[in-house]
Amino acid sequence: MVTTTKAVGDLFDLIERKPDLLVDADLTVERDGVAFTVRGYDDLVAVDLPSFGAAFALFRDRPVEGADAAVALAAAGLTAEIRVRGAPVARLGADAVPSPLAKRLGFGPIQLFLDGVLLAITPRRG
């Protein structure tokens, strides 16, 4: 049986030998009855979730630790931006600048956007 650490390490080795990836995607994904979008713009992959509840559920059930995902994305030349209701709340990968708050919270090399969090939780007028 292959351990997760070995499999992730092998993935990093494989990615480091390849040129940077470019992503072109426009998907709607449904998970546990919640739909969200994934859009790729060259080296940026934007994941837009409808609520913080959906974002926390996705984070809680992630198949790879946040630090491992950030390193794998950076090695591939990609950046993932997590958005809630269209507002960017976090970024990881090549263009992420780890924020002190993310480090304090133990999220690792993830950039958090407090202004995006505030926009995402603010009720929208009609």
Side-chain angles (χ1 to χ4, degrees), residues 23-97:
V23 177
D24 182 19
D26 188 2
L27 306 169
T28 299
V29 180
E30 187 172 318
R31 183 176 181 275
D32 297 332
V34 176
F36 57 95
T37 61
V38 178
R39 290 197 171 87
Y41 311 94
D42 293 331
D43 61 350
L44 175 69
V45 178
V47 179
D48 197 350
L49 297 141
S51 68
F52 274 109
F56 289 129
L58 188 64
F59 180 77
R60 182 186 62 239
D61 298 335
R62 69 197 180 278
V64 177
E65 287 298 315
D68 289 341
V71 171
L73 286 164
L78 295 174
T79 302
E81 185 170 273
I82 309 303
R83 300 173 180 172
V84 175
R85 296 176 47 205
V89 296
R91 183 178 288 169
L92 58 152
D95 291 334
V97 178

Side-chain angles (χ1 to χ4, degrees), residues 66-67 70 98-99 102-103 105-111:
S99 61
K103 290 177 186 176
L105 294 174
F107 291 143
I110 296 174
Q111 182 176 4

